[in-house]
Amino acid sequence: MVDRRIPKVRDLAPLMQFKAPDLNSKRRRLESALTIADLRTIAKRRTPKAAFDYTEGAAEGEISLARARQAFEDIQFNPAILRDVLKVSTGWDVLGAPVAMPFGIAPTGFTRMMQTEGEIAGAGAAAAAGIPFSLSTMGTTAIEDVKAANPHGRNWFQLYMWKDRDRSMALVDRAAAAGFDTLLVTVDVPVAGARLRDKRNGFSIPPQLTLGTVVNALPRPEWWINFLTTEPLAFASLDRWSGTVGELLDSMFDPTVTFDDLAWIKAQWPGKVVVKGVQNVLDARRLADLGVDGIVLSNHGGRQLDRAPIPFHLLPEVVREVGSEYEVHLDTGIMSGADIVAAVALGARFTLVGRAYLYGLMAGGREGVDRMIQILSDQIIRTMRLLGVTSLEELTPEHVTQLERLIPRARAAAAERV
């Protein structure tokens, strides 16, 4: 039998302390976001379908993207116990200069289409966090304006080689003159991937007003007000375009670029050169031998070749081939700080986040990007503590087991024979 009594006032008082409501709606919604998935939910609610789908979508059946994300879910962490993890360091040197965390903001195209603050929000947030910001050739903010937003931080310029090579190299010269320290040469876009969401949405530059877009815009007036009352979209690399994104990419990108062209580009850039879009071990070895400063294992966020290799699965084999001293970076599928810790443990020196950044941007502009960085940073620190490590250098492959869901058929047959 439980004895019951009438509660006393002094017992109720601690339960009656109500938090004062926050009248700032943006701050309220961003503070409610505890994960990147939460930011995505907010972003989807606030952004027209065509712009959101451009961020969210991938090529064809979107299998590459789904597999890349599944690969991060299919890991087992192996923690050590009884370690002093009061103080944790999340920084080290990347490409010869310090970063505060082992991730940076990936290059994204048409960024002001997602949210009007665009690259300025990303560059400013990166500067405040002490991480690199990457400007895409297809970005919507001038090279010099990005530098002004991040005057003392790490700015990287991502290069697509165009058919008009003089124009491409003019951009490279501008980035060098502005003090960008790293050139990200993206090599996995000889032609545009089949991004079916964009075709079905009729996504074009600039966006076209149709009955469908008007209906979709009605519950999202802030996006349209911002879009219509701020400066028209100006690209880092071209003046204007009227057509779909795929048509734009196919009209510009050069499908004849070779390793010889890469060596020519490298000879003209005064800073670090990193090749983005590496998807096999042999190419990684060849690039290391060519003398580029680093590579990014990437299948372009699943936006080019569907059923492409999974970068996270490639990581251990590539690191073994090129050596642990050579800088291997990673992107595609990263949605949490735990994903970043796993990548570092398996040999990645650095990672890039694209969709996570854009979800934060769409959710709340600059403050949303700040919140994205804070979420990933908190997750990195918590994961490291729970693993029993206090620095990135202490992370090793022993901390991570890659559970195999998709085993190549030849390997599966060999395993059966054993």
Side-chain angles (χ1 to χ4, degrees), residues 12-31:
L12 293 175
L15 305 177
M16 303 291 287
Q17 298 179 14
F18 298 102
K19 183 180 178 181
D22 189 342
L23 301 181
N24 185 314
S25 60
K26 179 188 286 189
R27 187 164 57 231
R28 277 202 316 273
R29 69 172 179 265
L30 292 177
E31 287 181 353

Side-chain angles (χ1 to χ4, degrees), residues 28 45 71 118 398:
R28 277 202 316 273
R45 191 167 62 237
E398 284 68 38

Side-chain angles (χ1 to χ4, degrees), residues 30-108:
L30 292 177
E31 287 181 353
S32 72
L34 305 181
T35 65
I36 301 302
D38 291 341
L39 288 176
R40 176 192 174 278
T41 298
I42 298 169
K44 186 174 184 179
R45 191 167 62 237
R46 300 182 59 79
T47 310
K49 177 177 172 57
F52 181 83
D53 276 359
Y54 177 75
T55 295
E56 175 89 349
E60 302 191 41
E62 305 189 353
I63 295 168
S64 288
L65 177 59
R67 287 177 177 174
R69 287 185 172 159
Q70 188 67 57
F72 282 110
E73 294 181 16
D74 288 348
I75 64 169
Q76 172 184 290
F77 281 122
N78 305 313
I81 61 171
L82 298 176
R83 306 294 198 272
D84 180 353
V85 292
L86 178 61
K87 295 181 180 180
V88 172
S89 172
T90 61
W92 57 8
D93 282 357
V94 170
L95 298 171
V99 298
M101 287 172 283
F103 71 91
I105 293 179
T108 60

